[in-house]
Amino acid sequence: MNIGIPLEIKTGETRVSCTPAGVRHLVAGGHRVVVQSGAGASSGFSDDKYRRAGAMVTGSADKAWRCDLVVKVKEPLEEEYRHFRKGLVLFTYLHLAGNPGLASKLLETEVTAIAYETVEENGRLPLLSPMSEIAGKMSVLMGAYFQSSRFGGGGKLLGGVPGVLPASVVVLGGGSAGMHAAKVAAGLGASVTLLELGQERMRMLESSLPAQVRTLYSTAQHVEEQLATADLVIGAVLVPGAAAPKLVTRPMLRHMKKGAVLVDIAIDQGGCFESSRPTTHEDPVFVEEGVLHYCVTNMPAAYPETSTEALTGVSLPYVRRMADLGLESAMVMMPGLVGGLNTWQGRLTNRAVAESLSLPFEENPFA
């Protein structure tokens, strides 16, 4: 199979979808890999490393996109829609619930689109998990940074000092991102409250997180009460494939401390704060109702070496299986791919995405 790895063009995106080691693995299986020049540069992988791994390196985005299977990191931007065609298999993070324009174009051009974030194995989201972990850890670092009065934050050091109370950190959602955010915040010495709906999940979190992390059943009232004293709020809510629920409304902001910081990890899925809007690494924050919002849509791109290695490690088995067997046989051999299929032959095959976009849903042909 011909596999294309294009250069990511999203603002601030520094990751690449496959390392040279991953390319070597694909080439060893008899596949042709076309890498666009410069695709791996920001992750520390030169064109020469890809050549030595057996890839064909090209300066043309068209050649990378002309392959049977295109493997990316982030969702295609409008200027990449011209590459869409019937028969193309696209494997990447899509987040279609927050991007109706992209969903419409994929359906119109009959692209077979498989979303990393909805691939599911035994109740887990294996291709989302490592990026969630990175974003969760990073969310606290960014929140602490923008708490500085230099940026308009409240000026409260997360861990405090002897004789001064630590900052209050509220984490909404106890999945992978929320758990790692809570762990890092506690490690810095903050007082942490994690709100979660699942009772079994809360029991697991209680047993695995540091003692200064308290869990609380997530209700609108509990969220509002915690926001009133919070210095940093991490939005880490996930409903696979669907738009994120708006847990923090604009009226709630008005009762928060001025200079508090919100970090919305769920912004790819529309955000879990009503006041959220996408930002970039170049211009990451804005202020609403006196509260700083950090809503960068590709947070892990700040750490491309770690992120690229982690993403390749989990995505490569799926890429290799699709290349070896073809899409339909790969779906049988790796059932998790079935949940990843979002569009196929002009049909929307993920129910959560269809409901979020109010579009017709058709049963997954491989389910």
Side-chain angles (χ1 to χ4, degrees):
M1 182 178 282
N2 292 326
I3 303 165
I5 300 174
L7 173 71
E8 300 292 326
I9 63 172
K10 184 182 178 80
T11 301
E13 185 52 65
T14 55
R15 294 168 288 179
V16 62
S17 59
C18 193
T19 64
V23 167
R24 185 180 298 276
H25 179 65
L26 295 171
V27 171
H31 305 293
R32 178 173 176 263
V33 182
V34 180
V35 178
Q36 187 178 351
S37 180
S42 295
S43 295
F45 305 121
S46 66
D47 289 348
D48 191 51
K49 286 184 178 179
Y50 283 106
R51 288 191 188 94
R52 292 202 303 269
M56 181 192 128
V57 177
T58 175
S60 167
D62 287 337
K63 286 183 180 178
W65 275 94
R66 211 174 292 149
C67 293
D68 309 304
L69 170 63
V70 169
V71 184
K72 280 179 47 51
V73 178
K74 290 301 289 179
E75 72 283 350
L77 302 185
E78 284 190 32
E79 50 264 53
E80 294 174 300
Y81 292 179
R82 64 188 176 86
H83 300 295
F84 291 179
R85 67 188 188 279
K86 185 175 181 178
L88 170 66
V89 178
L90 176 64
F91 194 34
T92 188
Y93 290 113
L94 285 171
H95 301 291
L96 294 183
N99 198 337
L102 174 58
S104 176
K105 197 66 179 178
L106 289 170
L107 293 171
E108 175 191 328
T109 53
E110 299 190 25
V111 170
T112 298
I114 304 169
Y116 292 154
E117 71 273 9
T118 59
V119 170
E120 188 171 344
E121 297 278 1
N122 301 317
R124 295 178 56 255
L125 302 173
L127 303 186
L128 187 62
S129 184
M131 296 304 105
S132 295
E133 182 173 344
I134 292 167
K137 292 178 175 181
M138 181 183 167
S139 67
V140 178
L141 303 181
M142 294 298 100
Y145 183 69
F146 286 104
Q147 248 294 319
S148 165
S149 61
R150 177 186 172 196
F151 303 107
K156 195 159 188 177
L157 187 66
L158 254 59
V161 293
V164 181
L165 292 175
S168 171
V169 176
V170 174
V171 181
L172 305 176
S176 179
M179 181 177 73
H180 287 96
K183 186 179 293 186
V184 170
L188 291 174
S191 173
V192 185
T193 303
L194 189 155
L195 288 90
E196 166 62 34
L197 280 172
Q199 290 289 344
E200 288 303 316
R201 182 67 180 176
M202 279 191 280
R203 288 190 180 93
M204 187 281 289
L205 292 166
E206 285 273 6
S207 64
S208 60
L209 289 172
Q212 70 263 43
V213 178
R214 303 165 299 170
T215 58
L216 181 65
Y217 188 73
S218 184
T219 66
Q221 181 171 334
H222 283 161
V223 170
E224 191 165 0
E225 289 170 352
Q226 293 301 312
L227 291 177
T229 58
D231 300 294
L232 171 60
V233 181
I234 309 294
V237 180
L238 173 68
V239 180
K246 306 297 183 187
L247 298 188
V248 177
T249 64
R250 189 172 290 275
M252 290 179 182
L253 292 185
R254 299 180 186 127
H255 298 287
M256 291 184 67
K257 294 179 180 179
K258 302 304 178 187
V261 179
L262 303 182
V263 178
D264 198 341
I265 298 175
I267 189 62
D268 270 332
Q269 296 291 120
C272 59
F273 309 139
E274 187 181 21
S275 49
S276 289
R277 55 179 169 80
T279 62
T280 66
H281 286 290
E282 285 70 22
D283 188 16
V285 295
F286 61 91
V287 178
E288 292 280 350
E289 307 292 346
V291 177
L292 278 78
H293 293 58
Y294 180 97
C295 303
V296 175
T297 56
N298 55 341
M299 290 174 64
Y303 301 97
E305 280 196 47
T306 299
S307 298
T308 292
E309 291 278 8
L311 179 58
T312 300
V314 293
S315 65
L316 187 60
Y318 295 93
V319 176
R320 176 66 186 265
R321 191 60 62 91
M322 283 190 283
D324 286 349
L325 303 177
L327 179 65
E328 294 188 20
S329 296
M331 291 277 181
V332 174
M333 296 297 294
M334 302 184 84
L337 271 174
V338 173
L341 188 68
N342 279 209
T343 67
W344 181 76
Q345 295 187 357
R347 308 168 195 174
L348 197 51
T349 56
N350 183 287
R351 187 181 297 276
V353 172
E355 290 175 353
S356 294
L357 297 176
S358 300
L359 290 174
F361 163 75
E362 294 201 25
E363 288 292 341
N364 192 313
F366 305 106

